[in-house]
Amino acid sequence: MSNDPGKPMSKTTIYDVKVMFGDCDPAGIVFFPNFSKWMDASSLDFFVQCGILPWRELRKTTGIIGTPLLEIHTKFMRPATYGDLIHVHTSVETWNAKTFVQKHIVKKGDEILCEGRETRAFCIHPEGGRLQAIPVPDFIKDKCC
Amino acid sequence: MSNDPGKPMSKTTIYDVKVMFGDCDPAGIVFFPNFSKWMDASSLDFFVQCGILPWRELRKTTGIIGTPLLEIHTKFMRPATYGDLIHVHTSVETWNAKTFVQKHIVKKGDEILCEGRETRAFCIHPEGGRLQAIPVPDFIKDKCC
Amino acid sequence: MSNDPGKPMSKTTIYDVKVMFGDCDPAGIVFFPNFSKWMDASSLDFFVQCGILPWRELRKTTGIIGTPLLEIHTKFMRPATYGDLIHVHTSVETWNAKTFVQKHIVKKGDEILCEGRETRAFCIHPEGGRLQAIPVPDFIKDKCC
Amino acid sequence: MSNDPGKPMSKTTIYDVKVMFGDCDPAGIVFFPNFSKWMDASSLDFFVQCGILPWRELRKTTGIIGTPLLEIHTKFMRPATYGDLIHVHTSVETWNAKTFVQKHIVKKGDEILCEGRETRAFCIHPEGGRLQAIPVPDFIKDKCC
């Protein structure tokens, strides 16, 4: 059931973040775009944990420059504050022809703080041209599952 | 047709941003969570332009502490880089009983860079209690339309 | 020799940071104000590791609201990039009557990336008044040494 | 008296910043590293206002990749908060053989909020080599004075 929403089509990795004072806003809680920053860091960390080379290396052999974002969708349930240790649980929910959806569940202990989905595409950047999405390479899918 | 998606139920305001070097990432383009930061700034600016007092003033007479975010949904079409002058066009798309949806269209000249929707609620913070969403006050709706 | 510059007048703590993609700029290296953010986080972490309560607790019994910054001075020797694990070594270099100087050495492995000094003051915020620096409390100095 | 400290050796430019909610910390005031970000933006803006091409253009004809930071030194006098409009007054205080010192005075109305000095060097990045500081080019000094 490859399209069963919510069912991961991949391994799940965990990325830890210690919330800093400077991550918080005048309400004393995490300024929400920081959750997007941490999901982005966990997205990259997911591929590294699955054994994919960092983009700056991968580019040399495959031309792939990374996985630019097409869309994000995040629900915020509970706030966090400085000193909190939080965990981003990341997996791939769907592999499409030229895009994929990564799901991030951000937890503090057993509580879910927020949940986000990012739609991304593997891209190459041809000399003199524009960024171009390519089909998700099989060797990458294989390493992630 | 109050629920016709996309049709603004309010004035539209414009918030200008000059992209800084430090807003950009190793790909040389705006790091995407900054678009969320700018939409958030434009959300607050919208209410100020409509004649609502800043939260720190409004709180004294109404108890309202602001409009915490429940959900964001953003589509990214084109990148921007440092030196670019961009404009966030902000309106309220839907007024619900206890929430509202703000729509932000980010443009550079005539080009749309990204488009986002934020679901927010007006909240009060009772002494010793937790944040609590309240029905959108009529005097606020009136000023925004 | 309490004023021998560079000689710590306190314990030394270490604060770890994993550099994220979003911490880096178009040159592919850490955008320098992030080093200030991390020194600030390490400054607070220093007091917590020394057994001082977080500011939001300390305020209740002592009125102290934190240690606002008066001055920073940082030298940058080497860059870092995303994926790097770096360590902020923090100590108090000088205790003055109403201020103190915290020193932060940021390392990657054995390499020093940058070195910064922050001048701070313990402050209280009297009802209806302005922030006010107070002499560094003895019980705090005692715990830090 | 080229080394008279404080006397500008150049034009003075002004860079405006509208403080956003997300620029502020749990104390409700600007999180201090943002002042460094704005001085950095004003540093680049200074050269653009003086008629120097943006780094990404300048690189093509001169090899210059920008003006990396060697040192910053900032004094904080007064805080600012969201909604404030502030102005960064920027000039070159000293031209040295291979470095220069830029001075930034950040004002809100007539009040000085903070004052910072940045030591920078014009750098090239030879193919396969490391960043390398070069003497400040005369055509740049000429345009800035």
Side-chain angles (χ1 to χ4, degrees):
Chain A
M1 289 292 116
S2 69
N3 289 317
D4 179 6
K7 183 168 170 293
M9 299 293 294
S10 75
K11 294 170 184 161
T12 296
T13 59
I14 299 180
Y15 186 82
D16 294 339
V17 174
K18 186 96 176 271
V19 180
M20 296 182 195
F21 183 81
D23 294 319
C24 298
D25 66 20
I29 58 177
V30 170
F31 183 54
F32 74 93
N34 286 314
F35 284 114
S36 297
K37 182 189 178 195
W38 300 332
M39 290 178 189
D40 181 73
S42 188
S43 167
L44 175 51
D45 176 71
F46 169 87
F47 289 109
V48 172
Q49 283 202 41
C50 287
I52 311 294
L53 291 172
W55 310 140
R56 52 183 176 257
E57 298 303 321
L58 194 63
R59 185 176 200 161
K60 294 173 192 166
T61 50
T62 66
I64 292 169
I65 55 90
T67 55
L69 262 177
L70 305 177
E71 193 170 341
I72 59 170
H73 192 169
T74 310
K75 293 186 189 185
F76 303 95
M77 286 82 147
R78 291 168 187 279
T81 190
Y82 58 97
D84 286 348
L85 180 61
I86 67 179
H87 312 278
V88 188
H89 296 246
T90 294
S91 58
V92 172
E93 192 177 275
T94 321
W95 298 106
N96 299 313
K98 283 200 169 180
T99 64
F100 62 98
V101 178
Q102 244 174 342
K103 183 179 170 185
H104 307 280
I105 300 176
V106 182
K107 289 182 164 185
K108 175 183 159 189
D110 287 336
E111 278 189 346
I112 296 183
L113 303 182
C114 63
E115 192 178 315
R117 281 174 177 77
E118 300 174 323
T119 307
R120 295 174 174 271
F122 281 90
C123 287
I124 58 173
H125 198 168
E127 195 70 42
R130 296 183 57 160
L131 275 185
Q132 198 177 308
I134 58 167
V136 181
D138 284 336
F139 82 93
I140 288 182
K141 256 192 264 190
D142 288 348
K143 291 213 173 201
C144 297
C145 294
Chain B
M1 288 299 116
S2 68
N3 290 318
D4 179 6
K7 182 168 170 294
M9 299 292 294
S10 76
K11 292 170 185 161
T12 296
T13 58
I14 299 181
Y15 186 83
D16 295 338
V17 174
K18 186 97 176 271
V19 180
M20 298 182 192
F21 183 81
D23 295 318
C24 298
D25 66 18
I29 58 176
V30 170
F31 183 54
F32 74 94
N34 286 314
F35 284 114
S36 297
K37 183 188 178 194
W38 300 331
M39 289 179 189
D40 181 73
S42 188
S43 167
L44 174 51
D45 176 71
F46 168 87
F47 289 109
V48 172
Q49 284 202 40
C50 288
I52 312 293
L53 291 171
W55 309 141
R56 53 184 176 257
E57 299 303 321
L58 195 64
R59 185 177 200 161
K60 294 172 191 166
T61 51
T62 66
I64 291 169
I65 54 90
T67 55
L69 262 176
L70 305 176
E71 194 170 341
I72 58 169
H73 192 168
T74 309
K75 293 186 190 186
F76 303 95
M77 285 83 148
R78 291 167 187 280
T81 190
Y82 57 97
D84 286 348
L85 180 61
I86 66 178
H87 312 279
V88 187
H89 296 245
T90 294
S91 59
V92 172
E93 192 176 275
T94 320
W95 298 106
N96 299 312
K98 283 200 169 180
T99 63
F100 62 99
V101 177
Q102 245 174 343
K103 183 179 170 185
H104 307 281
I105 300 176
V106 183
K107 289 183 164 185
K108 175 184 160 189
D110 287 336
E111 277 190 346
I112 297 183
L113 303 182
C114 62
E115 191 178 314
R117 280 173 178 79
E118 300 174 324
T119 306
R120 294 175 175 271
F122 282 90
C123 286
I124 58 174
H125 198 168
E127 195 69 43
R130 296 182 57 159
L131 275 185
Q132 199 177 308
I134 57 168
V136 181
D138 284 336
F139 82 94
I140 288 182
K141 256 192 265 190
D142 289 348
K143 291 212 173 203
C144 296
C145 293
Chain C
M1 288 295 118
S2 69
N3 290 317
D4 179 4
K7 182 169 169 294
M9 298 293 294
S10 75
K11 294 170 184 160
T12 297
T13 58
I14 300 179
Y15 187 82
D16 296 338
V17 175
K18 185 99 176 269
V19 180
M20 297 183 195
F21 183 81
D23 294 320
C24 299
D25 67 18
I29 59 177
V30 170
F31 183 55
F32 73 93
N34 287 313
F35 284 114
S36 297
K37 183 189 178 193
W38 301 331
M39 289 178 189
D40 181 73
S42 189
S43 167
L44 174 51
D45 176 71
F46 169 86
F47 290 109
V48 172
Q49 283 201 42
C50 287
I52 312 294
L53 290 172
W55 310 140
R56 53 182 175 258
E57 299 302 320
L58 194 63
R59 184 176 202 162
K60 293 173 192 166
T61 51
T62 67
I64 292 169
I65 55 90
T67 55
L69 263 176
L70 305 175
E71 194 171 341
I72 58 171
H73 191 169
T74 309
K75 293 186 188 185
F76 303 96
M77 286 84 148
R78 290 168 187 280
T81 191
Y82 58 96
D84 286 349
L85 181 60
I86 66 179
H87 312 278
V88 188
H89 296 244
T90 294
S91 58
V92 172
E93 191 176 275
T94 322
W95 298 106
N96 299 313
K98 284 201 171 180
T99 63
F100 62 98
V101 178
Q102 245 174 343
K103 182 179 171 186
H104 307 280
I105 301 176
V106 183
K107 290 183 163 186
K108 176 184 159 188
D110 287 337
E111 278 189 345
I112 296 183
L113 303 183
C114 62
E115 193 177 313
R117 279 172 179 78
E118 300 174 324
T119 306
R120 294 175 175 270
F122 282 89
C123 287
I124 58 173
H125 198 168
E127 195 69 42
R130 295 184 57 159
L131 276 184
Q132 199 178 307
I134 58 168
V136 181
D138 284 337
F139 82 93
I140 287 182
K141 256 191 263 190
D142 289 348
K143 292 212 172 202
C144 297
C145 294
Chain D
M1 289 295 116
S2 69
N3 290 317
D4 180 6
K7 183 169 169 294
M9 299 293 295
S10 75
K11 294 171 184 161
T12 296
T13 58
I14 299 180
Y15 186 83
D16 295 338
V17 175
K18 184 97 176 271
V19 180
M20 297 183 195
F21 183 81
D23 293 320
C24 299
D25 66 18
I29 58 177
V30 170
F31 183 55
F32 74 94
N34 286 314
F35 284 114
S36 297
K37 182 189 178 193
W38 301 331
M39 290 178 188
D40 181 73
S42 188
S43 167
L44 174 51
D45 176 71
F46 169 87
F47 289 108
V48 172
Q49 284 201 41
C50 287
I52 311 294
L53 291 172
W55 309 141
R56 52 182 177 258
E57 298 303 321
L58 194 63
R59 184 177 201 160
K60 293 173 193 165
T61 50
T62 66
I64 291 170
I65 55 91
T67 55
L69 263 176
L70 304 176
E71 194 170 340
I72 58 170
H73 191 169
T74 310
K75 292 186 188 183
F76 302 96
M77 287 83 148
R78 290 167 187 279
T81 190
Y82 57 96
D84 286 349
L85 180 61
I86 66 179
H87 312 279
V88 188
H89 296 245
T90 294
S91 58
V92 172
E93 192 177 275
T94 321
W95 297 106
N96 300 313
K98 283 201 171 181
T99 64
F100 62 99
V101 178
Q102 244 174 342
K103 182 179 171 186
H104 307 280
I105 299 177
V106 183
K107 289 182 162 185
K108 175 184 159 188
D110 287 336
E111 278 190 345
I112 296 183
L113 303 183
C114 62
E115 192 177 314
R117 280 173 178 79
E118 300 173 324
T119 307
R120 295 175 175 271
F122 281 89
C123 286
I124 58 173
H125 198 168
E127 194 72 39
R130 296 184 56 160
L131 275 184
Q132 199 178 305
I134 57 168
V136 181
D138 284 336
F139 81 94
I140 288 182
K141 256 192 266 190
D142 289 348
K143 292 212 171 201
C144 296
C145 294

mmCIF file of all heavy atoms in Angstrom, chain C residues 110-143:
data_model
loop_
_atom_site.group_PDB
_atom_site.id
_atom_site.type_symbol
_atom_site.label_atom_id
_atom_site.label_comp_id
_atom_site.label_asym_id
_atom_site.label_seq_id
_atom_site.Cartn_x
_atom_site.Cartn_y
_atom_site.Cartn_z
ATOM 1 N N ASP C 110 40.866 19.634 17.659
ATOM 2 C CA ASP C 110 41.873 20.426 18.375
ATOM 3 C C ASP C 110 42.018 21.842 17.841
ATOM 4 O O ASP C 110 42.721 22.665 18.423
ATOM 5 C CB ASP C 110 43.249 19.731 18.291
ATOM 6 C CG ASP C 110 43.287 18.505 19.181
ATOM 7 O OD1 ASP C 110 42.483 18.440 20.137
ATOM 8 O OD2 ASP C 110 44.100 17.600 18.907
ATOM 9 N N GLU C 111 41.386 22.114 16.708
ATOM 10 C CA GLU C 111 41.497 23.429 16.084
ATOM 11 C C GLU C 111 40.614 24.468 16.757
ATOM 12 O O GLU C 111 39.434 24.217 17.008
ATOM 13 C CB GLU C 111 41.034 23.359 14.633
ATOM 14 C CG GLU C 111 42.048 22.850 13.666
ATOM 15 C CD GLU C 111 41.523 23.050 12.245
ATOM 16 O OE1 GLU C 111 40.301 23.300 12.077
ATOM 17 O OE2 GLU C 111 42.342 22.940 11.332
ATOM 18 N N ILE C 112 41.159 25.641 16.990
ATOM 19 C CA ILE C 112 40.341 26.751 17.476
ATOM 20 C C ILE C 112 39.709 27.477 16.287
ATOM 21 O O ILE C 112 40.400 27.909 15.367
ATOM 22 C CB ILE C 112 41.182 27.746 18.297
ATOM 23 C CG1 ILE C 112 41.713 27.044 19.560
ATOM 24 C CG2 ILE C 112 40.344 28.959 18.692
ATOM 25 C CD1 ILE C 112 42.501 27.946 20.488
ATOM 26 N N LEU C 113 38.381 27.557 16.296
ATOM 27 C CA LEU C 113 37.674 28.236 15.204
ATOM 28 C C LEU C 113 37.526 29.718 15.499
ATOM 29 O O LEU C 113 37.728 30.563 14.648
ATOM 30 C CB LEU C 113 36.284 27.619 15.005
ATOM 31 C CG LEU C 113 36.237 26.117 14.727
ATOM 32 C CD1 LEU C 113 34.790 25.692 14.492
ATOM 33 C CD2 LEU C 113 37.090 25.772 13.507
ATOM 34 N N CYS C 114 37.106 30.023 16.727
ATOM 35 C CA CYS C 114 37.014 31.431 17.098
ATOM 36 C C CYS C 114 37.053 31.552 18.608
ATOM 37 O O CYS C 114 36.930 30.566 19.334
ATOM 38 C CB CYS C 114 35.777 32.102 16.516
ATOM 39 S SG CYS C 114 34.227 31.431 17.061
ATOM 40 N N GLU C 115 37.248 32.765 19.068
ATOM 41 C CA GLU C 115 37.424 33.021 20.483
ATOM 42 C C GLU C 115 36.709 34.321 20.802
ATOM 43 O O GLU C 115 36.915 35.325 20.112
ATOM 44 C CB GLU C 115 38.926 33.160 20.767
ATOM 45 C CG GLU C 115 39.262 33.118 22.223
ATOM 46 C CD GLU C 115 40.770 33.195 22.469
ATOM 47 O OE1 GLU C 115 41.534 32.479 21.801
ATOM 48 O OE2 GLU C 115 41.162 34.001 23.324
ATOM 49 N N GLY C 116 35.855 34.273 21.822
ATOM 50 C CA GLY C 116 35.084 35.472 22.113
ATOM 51 C C GLY C 116 35.026 35.786 23.592
ATOM 52 O O GLY C 116 35.161 34.907 24.445
ATOM 53 N N ARG C 117 34.880 37.063 23.889
ATOM 54 C CA ARG C 117 34.664 37.511 25.262
ATOM 55 C C ARG C 117 33.361 38.298 25.311
ATOM 56 O O ARG C 117 33.097 39.120 24.428
ATOM 57 C CB ARG C 117 35.813 38.409 25.728
ATOM 58 C CG ARG C 117 37.028 37.634 26.169
ATOM 59 C CD ARG C 117 38.213 38.493 26.449
ATOM 60 N NE ARG C 117 39.339 37.664 26.887
ATOM 61 C CZ ARG C 117 40.111 36.945 26.065
ATOM 62 N NH1 ARG C 117 39.902 36.974 24.768
ATOM 63 N NH2 ARG C 117 41.095 36.211 26.562
ATOM 64 N N GLU C 118 32.572 38.009 26.340
ATOM 65 C CA GLU C 118 31.330 38.730 26.563
ATOM 66 C C GLU C 118 31.397 39.407 27.920
ATOM 67 O O GLU C 118 31.735 38.765 28.909
ATOM 68 C CB GLU C 118 30.141 37.769 26.625
ATOM 69 C CG GLU C 118 29.888 36.931 25.398
ATOM 70 C CD GLU C 118 28.773 35.913 25.654
ATOM 71 O OE1 GLU C 118 28.693 35.385 26.794
ATOM 72 O OE2 GLU C 118 28.003 35.637 24.736
ATOM 73 N N THR C 119 31.046 40.679 27.975
ATOM 74 C CA THR C 119 30.912 41.370 29.257
ATOM 75 C C THR C 119 29.430 41.423 29.596
ATOM 76 O O THR C 119 28.618 41.878 28.792
ATOM 77 C CB THR C 119 31.479 42.797 29.180
ATOM 78 O OG1 THR C 119 32.817 42.724 28.694
ATOM 79 C CG2 THR C 119 31.460 43.463 30.551
ATOM 80 N N ARG C 120 29.101 40.908 30.769
ATOM 81 C CA ARG C 120 27.702 40.795 31.179
ATOM 82 C C ARG C 120 27.529 41.327 32.602
ATOM 83 O O ARG C 120 28.497 41.463 33.340
ATOM 84 C CB ARG C 120 27.248 39.326 31.163
ATOM 85 C CG ARG C 120 27.223 38.692 29.781
ATOM 86 C CD ARG C 120 26.888 37.203 29.868
ATOM 87 N NE ARG C 120 26.746 36.570 28.568
ATOM 88 C CZ ARG C 120 25.611 36.481 27.888
ATOM 89 N NH1 ARG C 120 24.500 36.982 28.405
ATOM 90 N NH2 ARG C 120 25.571 35.895 26.708
ATOM 91 N N ALA C 121 26.282 41.587 32.977
ATOM 92 C CA ALA C 121 25.973 41.980 34.353
ATOM 93 C C ALA C 121 24.739 41.221 34.823
ATOM 94 O O ALA C 121 23.804 41.008 34.042
ATOM 95 C CB ALA C 121 25.708 43.477 34.423
ATOM 96 N N PHE C 122 24.747 40.800 36.084
ATOM 97 C CA PHE C 122 23.516 40.277 36.673
ATOM 98 C C PHE C 122 22.573 41.450 36.892
ATOM 99 O O PHE C 122 22.984 42.490 37.412
ATOM 100 C CB PHE C 122 23.802 39.560 37.996
ATOM 101 C CG PHE C 122 24.356 38.187 37.800
ATOM 102 C CD1 PHE C 122 25.726 37.978 37.695
ATOM 103 C CD2 PHE C 122 23.501 37.094 37.685
ATOM 104 C CE1 PHE C 122 26.232 36.698 37.479
ATOM 105 C CE2 PHE C 122 24.006 35.818 37.480
ATOM 106 C CZ PHE C 122 25.381 35.621 37.377
ATOM 107 N N CYS C 123 21.332 41.273 36.477
ATOM 108 C CA CYS C 123 20.385 42.375 36.547
ATOM 109 C C CYS C 123 19.084 41.975 37.232
ATOM 110 O O CYS C 123 18.666 40.811 37.170
ATOM 111 C CB CYS C 123 20.054 42.876 35.137
ATOM 112 S SG CYS C 123 21.399 43.811 34.381
ATOM 113 N N ILE C 124 18.487 42.954 37.883
ATOM 114 C CA ILE C 124 17.125 42.806 38.389
ATOM 115 C C ILE C 124 16.257 43.820 37.648
ATOM 116 O O ILE C 124 16.753 44.724 36.993
ATOM 117 C CB ILE C 124 17.032 43.048 39.908
ATOM 118 C CG1 ILE C 124 17.564 44.457 40.244
ATOM 119 C CG2 ILE C 124 17.838 41.999 40.672
ATOM 120 C CD1 ILE C 124 17.359 44.846 41.693
ATOM 121 N N HIS C 125 14.960 43.618 37.722
ATOM 122 C CA HIS C 125 14.035 44.494 37.000
ATOM 123 C C HIS C 125 12.953 44.949 37.980
ATOM 124 O O HIS C 125 11.891 44.337 38.070
ATOM 125 C CB HIS C 125 13.423 43.733 35.819
ATOM 126 C CG HIS C 125 12.813 44.660 34.811
ATOM 127 N ND1 HIS C 125 12.409 44.269 33.556
ATOM 128 C CD2 HIS C 125 12.533 45.984 34.873
ATOM 129 C CE1 HIS C 125 11.913 45.287 32.898
ATOM 130 N NE2 HIS C 125 11.972 46.335 33.662
ATOM 131 N N PRO C 126 13.225 46.047 38.722
ATOM 132 C CA PRO C 126 12.268 46.485 39.749
ATOM 133 C C PRO C 126 10.927 46.849 39.111
ATOM 134 O O PRO C 126 10.897 47.387 37.997
ATOM 135 C CB PRO C 126 12.931 47.747 40.338
ATOM 136 C CG PRO C 126 14.348 47.720 39.882
ATOM 137 C CD PRO C 126 14.378 46.944 38.614
ATOM 138 N N GLU C 127 9.852 46.520 39.814
ATOM 139 C CA GLU C 127 8.489 46.839 39.361
ATOM 140 C C GLU C 127 8.413 48.289 38.869
ATOM 141 O O GLU C 127 8.722 49.224 39.600
ATOM 142 C CB GLU C 127 7.523 46.653 40.549
ATOM 143 C CG GLU C 127 6.049 46.604 40.169
ATOM 144 C CD GLU C 127 5.714 45.323 39.408
ATOM 145 O OE1 GLU C 127 6.219 44.236 39.808
ATOM 146 O OE2 GLU C 127 4.974 45.405 38.418
ATOM 147 N N GLY C 128 8.005 48.448 37.617
ATOM 148 C CA GLY C 128 7.795 49.796 37.088
ATOM 149 C C GLY C 128 9.071 50.557 36.763
ATOM 150 O O GLY C 128 9.020 51.696 36.310
ATOM 151 N N GLY C 129 10.223 49.927 37.003
ATOM 152 C CA GLY C 129 11.474 50.641 36.772
ATOM 153 C C GLY C 129 12.245 50.084 35.603
ATOM 154 O O GLY C 129 11.692 49.383 34.759
ATOM 155 N N ARG C 130 13.532 50.415 35.539
ATOM 156 C CA ARG C 130 14.375 49.941 34.454
ATOM 157 C C ARG C 130 15.280 48.823 34.935
ATOM 158 O O ARG C 130 15.518 48.656 36.120
ATOM 159 C CB ARG C 130 15.231 51.085 33.917
ATOM 160 C CG ARG C 130 14.391 52.182 33.262
ATOM 161 C CD ARG C 130 15.260 53.245 32.661
ATOM 162 N NE ARG C 130 16.194 52.667 31.691
ATOM 163 C CZ ARG C 130 16.787 53.371 30.726
ATOM 164 N NH1 ARG C 130 16.560 54.662 30.625
ATOM 165 N NH2 ARG C 130 17.621 52.793 29.889
ATOM 166 N N LEU C 131 15.821 48.075 33.994
ATOM 167 C CA LEU C 131 16.812 47.061 34.320
ATOM 168 C C LEU C 131 17.932 47.691 35.136
ATOM 169 O O LEU C 131 18.357 48.811 34.865
ATOM 170 C CB LEU C 131 17.428 46.488 33.043
ATOM 171 C CG LEU C 131 16.667 45.369 32.354
ATOM 172 C CD1 LEU C 131 17.475 44.860 31.169
ATOM 173 C CD2 LEU C 131 16.390 44.230 33.323
ATOM 174 N N GLN C 132 18.446 46.956 36.117
ATOM 175 C CA GLN C 132 19.446 47.521 37.005
ATOM 176 C C GLN C 132 20.510 46.467 37.313
ATOM 177 O O GLN C 132 20.173 45.356 37.749
ATOM 178 C CB GLN C 132 18.711 47.921 38.293
ATOM 179 C CG GLN C 132 19.410 48.900 39.168
ATOM 180 C CD GLN C 132 18.513 49.222 40.370
ATOM 181 O OE1 GLN C 132 17.343 49.603 40.226
ATOM 182 N NE2 GLN C 132 19.048 49.029 41.556
ATOM 183 N N ALA C 133 21.763 46.791 37.072
ATOM 184 C CA ALA C 133 22.840 45.849 37.373
ATOM 185 C C ALA C 133 23.062 45.791 38.875
ATOM 186 O O ALA C 133 22.991 46.812 39.567
ATOM 187 C CB ALA C 133 24.127 46.281 36.670
ATOM 188 N N ILE C 134 23.323 44.598 39.398
ATOM 189 C CA ILE C 134 23.607 44.442 40.825
ATOM 190 C C ILE C 134 24.995 43.822 40.986
ATOM 191 O O ILE C 134 25.526 43.230 40.046
ATOM 192 C CB ILE C 134 22.566 43.531 41.506
ATOM 193 C CG1 ILE C 134 22.549 42.151 40.807
ATOM 194 C CG2 ILE C 134 21.183 44.159 41.483
ATOM 195 C CD1 ILE C 134 21.770 41.101 41.565
ATOM 196 N N PRO C 135 25.606 43.989 42.166
ATOM 197 C CA PRO C 135 26.880 43.301 42.384
ATOM 198 C C PRO C 135 26.698 41.799 42.180
ATOM 199 O O PRO C 135 25.652 41.248 42.512
ATOM 200 C CB PRO C 135 27.199 43.605 43.861
ATOM 201 C CG PRO C 135 26.426 44.847 44.172
ATOM 202 C CD PRO C 135 25.189 44.785 43.330
ATOM 203 N N VAL C 136 27.700 41.140 41.595
ATOM 204 C CA VAL C 136 27.585 39.699 41.390
ATOM 205 C C VAL C 136 27.387 39.023 42.742
ATOM 206 O O VAL C 136 28.220 39.164 43.635
ATOM 207 C CB VAL C 136 28.856 39.140 40.714
ATOM 208 C CG1 VAL C 136 28.694 37.649 40.486
ATOM 209 C CG2 VAL C 136 29.136 39.865 39.396
ATOM 210 N N PRO C 137 26.277 38.306 42.935
ATOM 211 C CA PRO C 137 26.018 37.683 44.240
ATOM 212 C C PRO C 137 27.095 36.654 44.612
ATOM 213 O O PRO C 137 27.549 35.894 43.756
ATOM 214 C CB PRO C 137 24.670 36.985 44.035
ATOM 215 C CG PRO C 137 24.032 37.682 42.872
ATOM 216 C CD PRO C 137 25.173 38.098 41.994
ATOM 217 N N ASP C 138 27.470 36.657 45.886
ATOM 218 C CA ASP C 138 28.510 35.723 46.341
ATOM 219 C C ASP C 138 28.119 34.263 46.112
ATOM 220 O O ASP C 138 28.952 33.443 45.743
ATOM 221 C CB ASP C 138 28.803 35.952 47.835
ATOM 222 C CG ASP C 138 29.654 37.204 48.043
ATOM 223 O OD1 ASP C 138 30.353 37.610 47.096
ATOM 224 O OD2 ASP C 138 29.595 37.783 49.144
ATOM 225 N N PHE C 139 26.844 33.935 46.343
ATOM 226 C CA PHE C 139 26.467 32.512 46.217
ATOM 227 C C PHE C 139 26.643 32.042 44.773
ATOM 228 O O PHE C 139 26.864 30.860 44.522
ATOM 229 C CB PHE C 139 25.030 32.274 46.716
ATOM 230 C CG PHE C 139 23.950 32.596 45.709
ATOM 231 C CD1 PHE C 139 23.442 31.608 44.869
ATOM 232 C CD2 PHE C 139 23.427 33.884 45.611
ATOM 233 C CE1 PHE C 139 22.442 31.903 43.947
ATOM 234 C CE2 PHE C 139 22.423 34.182 44.695
ATOM 235 C CZ PHE C 139 21.937 33.196 43.856
ATOM 236 N N ILE C 140 26.566 32.970 43.834
ATOM 237 C CA ILE C 140 26.781 32.581 42.435
ATOM 238 C C ILE C 140 28.266 32.398 42.175
ATOM 239 O O ILE C 140 28.693 31.380 41.623
ATOM 240 C CB ILE C 140 26.153 33.626 41.479
ATOM 241 C CG1 ILE C 140 24.625 33.483 41.533
ATOM 242 C CG2 ILE C 140 26.676 33.443 40.050
ATOM 243 C CD1 ILE C 140 23.851 34.407 40.623
ATOM 244 N N LYS C 141 29.065 33.373 42.604
ATOM 245 C CA LYS C 141 30.520 33.230 42.431
ATOM 246 C C LYS C 141 30.999 31.914 43.056
ATOM 247 O O LYS C 141 31.789 31.186 42.467
ATOM 248 C CB LYS C 141 31.241 34.402 43.103
ATOM 249 C CG LYS C 141 31.762 35.435 42.116
ATOM 250 C CD LYS C 141 32.698 36.428 42.775
ATOM 251 C CE LYS C 141 31.960 37.685 43.153
ATOM 252 N NZ LYS C 141 32.861 38.772 43.588
ATOM 253 N N ASP C 142 30.492 31.608 44.248
ATOM 254 C CA ASP C 142 30.931 30.393 44.946
ATOM 255 C C ASP C 142 30.655 29.138 44.121
ATOM 256 O O ASP C 142 31.485 28.232 44.042
ATOM 257 C CB ASP C 142 30.212 30.270 46.297
ATOM 258 C CG ASP C 142 30.713 31.314 47.283
ATOM 259 O OD1 ASP C 142 31.753 31.952 46.996
ATOM 260 O OD2 ASP C 142 30.073 31.494 48.335
ATOM 261 N N LYS C 143 29.470 29.084 43.539
ATOM 262 C CA LYS C 143 29.112 27.873 42.785
ATOM 263 C C LYS C 143 29.923 27.725 41.502
ATOM 264 O O LYS C 143 30.070 26.624 40.974
ATOM 265 C CB LYS C 143 27.626 27.917 42.425
ATOM 266 C CG LYS C 143 26.702 27.783 43.624
ATOM 267 C CD LYS C 143 25.418 27.062 43.229
ATOM 268 C CE LYS C 143 24.596 26.765 44.471
ATOM 269 N NZ LYS C 143 23.651 25.677 44.268
#
